[in-house]
Amino acid sequence: MNGRYFIELAEICEKIKETTSKLEKISKLGNFLKNLNDEELSATIRLLNSDILPPWYNKEIQVGYSTLSSIILEISGSSKEEFFKVYVKHGDLGETAEELLKKGKALNPLVQDKLTILKVYKTLLKISEYSGEGSYQSKKNALLNLFVNASPIEAKYLVKIITGELRIGLSEGLLEESLAYALGIPLTNLREKVLILPDLSEVAIRIKNGKYEEIDLELLRPTSFMLAEPMSSPEEIANYFNKEIIAEYKYDGIRAQIHKKDNKIRIFSRRLDEISFYLPEVVESISSLKGVFILDSEIISIKNDKVLPFNILQRRLRRKNIDKKLIEEIPLRAIVYDVLFYNGKQVYKLPLRERKELLKNIDFKDRIELGFFKIVRNSAEISKLFEESLNKGFEGIMIKDPDSPYTPGKRGKAWIKLKKEFDTLDVVIVAAEYGHGKRAGILSDYTFAVKDNNELKVIGKAYSGLTDEEMEILDRKLRDITIEDLGYKIIVKPEIVLEVAFDSIQISDRHDSGFALRFPRIKRIRWDKSPHEIDTIEKVREIYERKKAIFA
DNA sequence: TCTGATGCGTC
DNA sequence: GTCGGAC
DNA sequence: GTCCGACGACGCATCAGA
C-alpha cells in the first residue's frame, strides 16, 4: 500500500504539541493537509478528530485502556510495576507507550512494513468489524500488527488516536482552522458548514471539490444541536434579556432530533447517534404525523402522571431487545419544542417565535406532543414558572430569545437554562487518585465519605470545582496523611472536609454507603470543619426520600 | 451458564 | 452532565 | 465569549474466563 507515511503525521503532531503558538500549529498542520489526496485527507481528519467511525456508522472500536495497555506490555516487554510507574508519571497511555518502547527491547526491532496513514485508518475500521467469540483476540492481533511496525513515536500517536485523547493542544477547533488554511477558505465559512453537516471529513472533501454551496441541512442526516447556557437566578435572566422572552419547562430526558421524510423516520441523539431503533413506539407515533420535517425534542417517560427518574429512562437506551413489557414499563413521549426543516423549507434561520408558529401546523398526537411554552416578561414570572416546573417533577426551565435563529452546535446566550438549586453535603476525604493529562502525577481526584454512626461510608468521587492552586494544596496535605499507598491511589486519614454540591442522590452499589451523587462538584474545602462535623447517612437518606416523593 | 471487566453512550 | 482555565 | 480538557454516575452489550 502506497501513500503518505504515518510517521509524517506523528511528527507533525509532535511539533504541534511542542509549540503553544496557535498560528504555528495551524500552519504546520495546514501545510501538511494541503498536500494530501482526498482519501488521505479524509482519513487524517478522522484520525485527528477521534472520529474514526462517524456516529451514524453504528459501530464501535471497542478498544480502550485495558486492551492497549496489555499490548504495550507485550511489545515493550516491561513489567507491570514498571508500566504502572510510568503511567502514573505521564497520566497518558500514549506517552507511556513511547517511553516503554524506547527503553524496552522491542519484539521486532526491525521496521519492515512502514505504516501509512491509510493503513492505520483502514486497520482501525477493520477492527470495528470484529465481533463475536474470539473478537478480542482478532482486534488485538490487528493492533499488534500495527504496533510491531511502529516506532515509539508512532506507537504513542496510535494509542492517542485510538483512545481519542490526543492532548497536544489540538482539537476540533484548531483542526478546523488548519483545514480552512489548507483549503484556502475563511474559517467562519467552514465552521458554518460543519455545524450544519457535522462531519468535518465529509465537509472538507466536498469543499475541496468545489461543492461548498451545496452543503446545507439534509433530511435524514443529523445536524448539531443548539445548546444552552446556565444562569443561576430569574433576576439574572430577566436582566440579561430585558424584554419579552419565551419560557419552557426543562425536562430531564434524552435530547432527540426527529427527521421525517415520507415514510422514513430517523431519530438522532445529542452525539448524533441514531437511536430510532430503541424507540419503536415513538417512531410509530411519528409516522402518523403529516409532513416532512426535522424537529428538536426531549424524550421523557411519564407514568401515572409522574415523571420517571432519569436512570429508569436510561434503560430504554442501547438495548438490543425491546419487548412489549419494556414499552409498557417505561412509556415514552417526545416533547417537541423546535423545528429546523418544515415541508421542503429550511426554517432554522427563522426567529424562534416564527418557528414556534410553524410548530402549530403539525397535528401532534399519540406519543408526540407540542411542548408547553409561554411568554414571560420579568423575574417574578420566571420564578413562578420555575416553581411550577419543579412541582411537576421537571428539572427547571429554559428561557429563549424569541428573535434568535436556531444555531446548530452553538452554546450561546440565546438559550438559557435554569436548574434547581443544588443541595450540598459536608464530607470527608478518605482516598485520592492521581490525575491524567495535565493533572498527571498530582492527587486530583478525591473519594469521600459521610458518617454512619461510628463508621465512614463512601458516597462519591469528585475533582471538579477546585482551582489548580487548591488542588496543589490538597495534594501536599494528602501525602502527609497517607495511610496506605496503592500505587495509582492512596488511602488517607479522614481529616479533610469538603463541601460537595450535587443535583440529586441515587441508590447505587458503586460505593459502600449504598448511595451515589449525580453531578458531584466541590463547592469548597472546609478547613474550619473537623471530620466529626460532617453529614450523616441519615441526611443523605432524607434528601433522597424528599426527591423521590415527586417521582413515580 | 454465570459473572466480572470493559467500553461507550446518556445525562 | 459539571467545572476551571487558557486564549 | 468561547473553547477545551479533566472529571462524575448510570445502564446496556459484549466478551473472556471461571
Side-chain angles (χ1 to χ4, degrees), chain A residues 33-270:
Chain A
L33 295 177
K34 208 189 274 183
N35 295 313
L36 299 177
N37 66 32
D38 284 7
E39 198 184 8
E40 285 169 336
L41 178 62
S42 169
T44 303
I45 293 170
R46 293 208 184 284
L47 293 176
L48 292 180
N49 208 14
S50 348
D51 186 26
I52 296 158
L53 315 170
W56 48 89
Y57 194 81
N58 274 343
K59 285 242 163 67
E60 290 153 349
I61 295 205
Q62 291 286 356
V63 171
Y65 168 87
S66 180
T67 316
L68 289 170
S69 39
S70 85
I71 287 172
I72 296 167
L73 272 174
E74 206 168 308
I75 56 172
S76 68
S78 12
S79 67
K80 279 198 171 151
E81 292 69 33
E82 192 181 6
F83 171 88
F84 232 69
K85 227 175 77 196
V86 177
Y87 179 62
V88 168
K89 180 175 89 183
H90 290 296
D92 181 287
L93 201 53
E95 303 285 348
T96 307
E98 184 185 33
E99 179 170 335
L100 292 178
L101 286 181
K102 267 185 184 161
K103 62 180 170 200
K105 9 167 194 345
L107 271 188
N108 210 335
L110 289 176
V111 174
Q112 333 97 318
D113 188 11
K114 259 181 116 176
L115 296 177
T116 61
I117 290 174
L118 285 181
K119 161 122 189 202
V120 170
Y121 176 65
K122 286 181 178 166
T123 305
L124 296 181
L125 269 189
K126 199 170 77 191
I127 285 172
S128 73
E129 305 280 343
Y130 293 125
S131 69
E133 211 183 313
S135 61
Y136 178 77
Q137 244 338 297
S138 309
K139 283 174 197 274
K140 226 171 128 175
N141 289 342
L143 285 170
L144 274 171
N145 194 287
L146 290 180
F147 277 93
V148 292
N149 289 304
S151 61
I153 181 176
E154 288 175 289
K156 168 163 78 174
Y157 284 101
L158 277 177
V159 170
K160 282 170 174 278
I161 283 167
I162 294 168
T163 57
E165 287 170 319
L166 246 37
R167 296 200 253 240
I168 58 173
L170 175 113
S171 58
E172 182 140 18
L174 279 184
L175 181 55
E176 282 169 359
E177 292 202 42
S178 312
L179 194 56
Y181 174 98
L183 295 168
I185 61 163
L187 176 63
T188 47
N189 291 17
L190 179 66
R191 285 247 160 100
E192 195 197 327
K193 296 301 187 189
V194 173
L195 292 173
I196 293 168
L197 183 69
D199 182 344
L200 191 54
S201 169
E202 179 169 345
V203 168
I205 301 303
R206 286 216 214 171
I207 292 179
K208 191 163 171 248
N209 290 298
K211 304 261 171 68
Y212 173 83
E213 292 296 336
E214 293 165 27
I215 303 173
D216 203 348
L217 198 57
E218 286 175 35
L219 276 161
L220 306 178
R221 284 202 64 169
T223 191
S224 310
F225 285 80
M226 185 162 174
L227 305 171
E229 238 171 60
M231 281 194 189
S232 50
S233 71
E235 292 73 26
E236 188 185 358
I237 296 171
N239 284 338
Y240 174 74
F241 285 108
N242 199 20
K243 64 175 181 184
E244 289 193 341
I245 37 191
I246 291 177
E248 302 165 350
Y249 296 139
K250 183 180 192 310
Y251 309 96
D252 185 12
I254 295 151
R255 194 87 183 262
Q257 192 176 92
I258 299 172
H259 292 234
K260 176 173 181 285
K261 182 190 185 188
D262 306 325
N263 53 359
K264 288 199 200 79
I265 289 154
R266 301 183 79 185
I267 305 177
F268 299 99
S269 72
R270 170 121 178 240

